Amino acid sequence: MILTRGLALAAVFLAATPLMAQDVPVVERTLSNGMRLVMVERHEQPTIACAWLARVGSANERSGTTGIAHLFEHMMFKGTKTIGTRDPRRDAELNARQDEVQIRIREEMSVLREKQRRGEIADMMDPKARTPRLQEALDEFDRLVKEQRELIVKDEMDKIYTQAGGTGLNASTSEDRTNYIISLPSNKLELWFWLESDRLANPVFREFYSERDVILEERRQTLESRPSGVVDEAFNAMTWMASPYHWEVIGWSSDISQVTREQANQFFATYYAPNNITAILVGDFNADAAYTLAEKYFGRIPANPKGVPEVITLEPKQP
């Protein structure tokens, strides 16, 4: 399976490279909604390396929402309306209630942020700085999270793929794109089309606010606790003057901790539309049959008529 996973990563590279420059029998099709499909038939093994990439990364962010592209890499594994919960109706109610409580939390955090700017408190994140209203909202939020966790079917997507013989389910985020990969037996291709299109058509961002804390811990472990990580972050911040490359893909802590589900929904609608996505298949399948499945499942997702905002900030010439 190492081979097929490597092919998936190679296919991601092919999808972002001019095809005429590649000495590979590539079949490229475009669905009715603008989604791109890149296929390479290889019949040596009864497996298929499946991937799709959204052309969005940290370069598409702005100050105040840094890290949101990487956050979405996490959120896309939280399930859909039919996957990841034992009670979809109550699950949706709890998400809505969490959003309401988070509004109160943000109002109180804004007060603390201003106090920190004026020098009245040293750290707005210090529990000792919390107001009674903030503590009350945090306690209520914790109760909602605990109730929702009782309904969540943890990692159900991974379990579905594993039961079907899938391996290597993973994702990654860079400055310019976000990739999702899996290797499957060749007779499970339709499962991939259904499941991946379902998480694009009917995503549910469960555990959204608690996942921010997971990413903050990831940042501490992979960046802040390593001398090389701290140096790299400082170097990028000094090297790039205007380009969004001057912040790390994982984002700034202050932005990660405050991003809202409303911002996430807007981000998803803009950048995870099919006309900003490329699907890639490498392995034992028929390209015409795969295109028919792609149109059946991915083709049902409407395009974003506004398109994707262009990254217009260019790095000024430096001496």
Side-chain angles (χ1 to χ4, degrees):
M1 291 303 178
I2 294 176
L3 173 63
T4 55
R5 185 173 179 185
L7 288 173
L9 294 173
V12 169
F13 172 77
L14 284 174
T17 309
L19 300 182
M20 64 181 66
Q22 306 299 323
D23 186 19
V24 176
V26 176
V27 177
E28 182 181 0
R29 306 286 289 272
T30 301
L31 305 186
S32 57
N33 56 11
M35 186 174 180
R36 188 179 172 203
L37 181 62
V38 178
M39 299 173 284
V40 178
E41 292 188 35
R42 295 186 57 147
H43 302 285
E44 296 89 345
Q45 302 178 40
T47 58
I48 307 174
C50 308
W52 60 272
L53 66 87
R55 290 182 287 279
V56 59
S58 59
N60 300 93
E61 301 164 351
R62 57 177 176 79
S63 295
T65 63
T66 65
I68 195 170
H70 173 254
L71 172 62
F72 258 88
E73 177 197 323
H74 286 236
M75 297 315 302
M76 289 304 291
F77 290 91
K78 295 299 182 179
T80 70
K81 295 178 181 178
T82 57
I83 296 171
T85 183
R86 298 180 178 87
D87 188 341
R89 182 191 62 79
R90 182 55 180 161
D91 182 69
E93 292 174 351
L94 289 169
N95 277 337
R97 184 61 185 145
Q98 287 175 21
D99 290 342
E100 293 172 1
V101 176
Q102 281 291 324
I103 291 174
R104 298 196 340 245
I105 292 174
R106 289 197 297 273
E107 290 172 351
E108 293 302 304
M109 294 300 289
S110 293
V111 173
L112 295 179
R113 186 179 296 107
E114 186 59 28
K115 286 185 176 180
Q116 181 173 327
R117 285 173 176 165
R118 293 199 302 260
E120 296 177 10
I121 59 175
D123 182 4
M124 62 178 284
M125 304 306 292
D126 187 345
K128 295 180 181 178
R130 294 174 183 171
T131 64
R133 186 170 184 264
L134 174 58
Q135 189 61 59
E136 179 184 355
L138 289 171
D139 291 341
E140 182 179 355
F141 181 78
D142 286 342
R143 289 193 295 270
L144 293 169
V145 169
K146 290 177 181 178
E147 181 180 351
Q148 186 176 46
R149 284 176 177 166
E150 293 298 318
L151 304 177
I152 289 175
V153 181
K154 200 71 172 175
D155 300 322
E156 187 171 19
M157 182 179 299
D158 183 59
K159 292 174 183 176
I160 292 171
Y161 272 137
T162 300
Q163 290 170 357
T167 61
L169 179 66
N170 211 337
S172 63
T173 307
S174 71
E175 289 83 0
D176 301 297
R177 62 182 60 91
T178 308
N179 310 315
Y180 299 86
I181 64 173
I182 181 75
S183 293
L184 286 167
S186 54
N187 63 348
K188 297 299 181 181
L189 181 58
E190 187 166 7
L191 170 66
W192 180 80
F193 276 113
W194 169 75
L195 208 160
E196 297 302 321
S197 64
D198 189 45
R199 65 168 164 168
L200 284 170
N202 303 297
V204 177
F205 304 137
R206 299 180 180 94
E207 301 180 293
F208 179 84
Y209 299 103
S210 56
E211 195 67 23
R212 298 182 315 186
D213 296 333
V214 172
I215 294 174
L216 286 171
E217 181 60 29
E218 179 182 342
R219 178 184 162 85
R220 284 189 285 268
Q221 291 182 356
T222 62
L223 194 151
E224 296 172 6
S225 65
R226 296 186 301 107
S228 60
V230 175
V231 170
D232 286 345
E233 184 171 50
F235 180 79
N236 284 335
M238 291 187 296
T239 301
W240 301 100
M241 294 175 59
S243 168
Y245 282 22
H246 74 253
W247 57 73
E248 293 294 308
V249 171
I250 201 167
W252 297 111
S253 297
S254 56
D255 291 346
I256 298 167
S257 64
Q258 297 299 305
V259 67
T260 69
R261 201 195 309 267
E262 292 85 353
Q263 290 172 320
N265 289 335
Q266 183 178 10
F267 184 90
F268 179 84
T270 301
Y271 294 104
Y272 275 75
N275 46 325
N276 196 47
I277 290 175
T278 297
I280 309 106
L281 300 174
V282 179
D284 185 30
F285 66 96
N286 176 271
D288 289 336
Y291 172 73
T292 300
L293 288 172
E295 194 64 70
K296 175 182 177 180
Y297 289 100
F298 284 120
R300 65 192 168 122
I301 306 170
N304 174 8
K306 296 181 180 179
V308 172
E310 184 180 359
V311 178
I312 61 175
T313 303
L314 299 176
E315 184 69 12
K317 186 176 181 179
Q318 299 183 22

